[in-house]
Amino acid sequence: MATDALNEDADHLYGLAPEEFTAARNARVREVKPDDRELAARIQELRKPSPAAFLVNQLVRRKSDEIDDLLDLGAELRQSQARGDGRQLNRLARERRGLIGELLDTASAIAEEFDRDASRAVLDEVEQTLAAGTVDEPAGDAVRSGRLIRGLQAVGFDPVDLDGAVAGAPLAASARPKRERRRAETATRDTKTDERAATEESEREAREHAKARAEFKVREARARAEEADKELRAATEQAEEAEGRLEALRDEREELSARLDEVRREITEAERRARSTERDRGRAAKAAEQAHEELDDATAKRG
């Protein structure tokens, strides 16, 4: 399966708010599965980003130049660390703090835009992730991918743990723009043309983002509707089953009631017969007693 297809879907999904992610992913899986089961399975494995990862992914999409500045600054920091240049390290560290501070302000604004509460803990994790991206090149690639699943954390200049941190493949190193080259190109660009191109690009990105967001909302709504239909069918079946059981119990109750009436009639008749038999027995006993008396009288007279 082509990695580009997975990354394209992941780029869309990790640009969404976390609460929209699962429904949109599942809708995409259903859409892809009939034609490419392997791709559908890979998409299904994509996990919802943490709140901090979501904000970093949004920064990559909206502040790509500033992210590039920060990550390229990380390369300079590593070189200065290798040379043991303390003065240069201090200068670059101050510059890094400034860039991260500006990006944190943007992250707070993005959180408000999505009606999310950017707590201090979440912003701290965003700060740690941005700083970790400057510690080693793979971590920078993970941040730059815009597909982070969780935040990153650096311990000194040791390699950053990226296990389960990024969805899809990281951005290729050859595709990373270098800060110095980009600054030189910007310096020679005509200001008015640059502003017009930037505006057009911003509008295009906004339109594309709005279109992609609308498409995913439609897929999400369709997925919710299908799930609601499924639940309605299940509830209807359960109601019909319960109604059938209730009807059967009613029939059984009527049968038992009729049988109870019959038993009561039988008991009444048995009691009546018992009383009649008792009366007959009493009369027979009285007759027998009288016969014995008559026999005794007859015997006495004969003697």
Side-chain angles (χ1 to χ4, degrees):
M1 182 201 66
T3 301
D4 289 345
L6 175 63
N7 285 350
E8 181 178 353
D9 284 313
D11 285 337
H12 282 298
L13 290 170
Y14 286 93
L16 298 174
E19 60 267 22
E20 300 173 345
F21 181 92
T22 301
R25 179 199 62 194
N26 294 344
R28 181 57 178 160
V29 168
R30 286 192 295 272
E31 182 179 347
V32 170
K33 193 171 184 179
D35 299 322
D36 193 334
R37 298 181 67 87
E38 183 181 0
L39 176 58
R42 294 290 300 278
I43 294 173
Q44 187 67 61
E45 292 173 356
L46 297 176
R47 292 186 290 117
K48 182 172 69 174
S50 69
F54 159 71
L55 291 176
V56 174
N57 291 338
Q58 288 295 317
L59 288 174
V60 171
R61 286 162 172 76
R62 302 182 183 207
K63 294 291 182 179
S64 59
D65 286 351
E66 289 81 353
I67 290 292
D68 286 334
D69 279 343
L70 177 65
L71 299 181
D72 291 340
L73 182 66
E76 297 178 35
L77 275 165
R78 294 191 296 273
Q79 292 171 3
S80 297
Q81 174 71 15
R83 292 194 303 267
D85 189 342
R87 180 177 298 180
Q88 181 75 347
L89 272 173
N90 289 336
R91 182 186 68 78
L92 294 173
R94 286 194 301 271
E95 187 176 352
R96 180 174 67 175
R97 284 194 297 271
L99 289 172
I100 290 178
E102 293 173 4
L103 289 169
L104 286 176
D105 291 342
T106 303
S108 296
I110 292 172
E112 292 179 4
E113 178 185 333
F114 281 83
D115 293 328
R116 301 182 67 81
D117 181 20
S119 65
R120 185 65 258 173
V122 170
L123 291 177
D124 285 346
E125 189 175 350
V126 171
E127 182 177 5
Q128 292 172 3
T129 300
L130 294 173
T134 67
V135 169
D136 64 23
E137 193 171 24
D141 290 342
V143 170
R144 204 189 306 265
S145 73
R147 299 190 297 272
L148 283 179
I149 299 172
R150 63 169 176 80
L152 306 180
Q153 188 171 13
V155 179
F157 280 86
D158 292 336
V160 177
D161 178 17
L162 299 178
D163 185 33
V166 62
L171 187 67
S174 60
R176 294 197 305 268
K178 293 299 181 181
R179 181 168 60 160
E180 295 81 359
R181 185 181 64 224
R182 182 161 39 76
R183 285 178 174 174
E185 292 173 352
T186 301
T188 59
R189 189 181 301 133
D190 179 78
T191 303
K192 291 183 179 181
T193 301
D194 180 42
E195 290 177 353
R196 184 169 60 252
T199 300
E200 292 174 353
E201 178 67 14
S202 178
E203 292 174 351
R204 183 187 64 78
E205 290 179 353
R207 288 194 300 271
E208 290 180 352
H209 181 73
K211 179 181 178 181
R213 189 178 180 87
E215 290 175 349
F216 273 109
K217 282 187 176 294
V218 169
R219 291 172 182 165
E220 179 184 9
R222 184 180 294 115
R224 286 199 298 265
E226 291 175 354
E227 187 65 24
D229 288 341
K230 181 178 179 181
E231 292 176 357
L232 175 60
R233 288 193 297 271
T236 301
E237 291 175 0
Q238 291 175 357
E240 291 175 351
E241 181 180 348
E243 184 65 26
R245 176 58 179 161
L246 177 61
E247 188 65 27
L249 289 174
R250 285 172 177 166
D251 292 343
E252 184 177 352
R253 182 186 64 182
E254 292 178 0
E255 292 176 1
L256 291 173
S257 179
R259 176 58 182 157
L260 179 60
D261 291 341
E262 182 180 349
V263 169
R264 284 172 176 168
R265 287 194 297 270
E266 290 176 355
I267 290 173
T268 300
E269 178 63 20
E271 289 175 342
R272 186 189 65 76
R273 289 178 180 176
R275 288 192 298 271
S276 177
T277 300
E278 182 62 26
R279 287 194 299 271
D280 291 345
R281 188 189 68 79
R283 285 194 294 268
K286 189 173 182 180
E289 182 181 356
Q290 185 176 354
H292 281 290
E293 289 176 356
E294 291 176 354
L295 175 61
D296 291 341
D297 289 344
T299 302
K301 287 178 181 182
R302 187 182 65 178

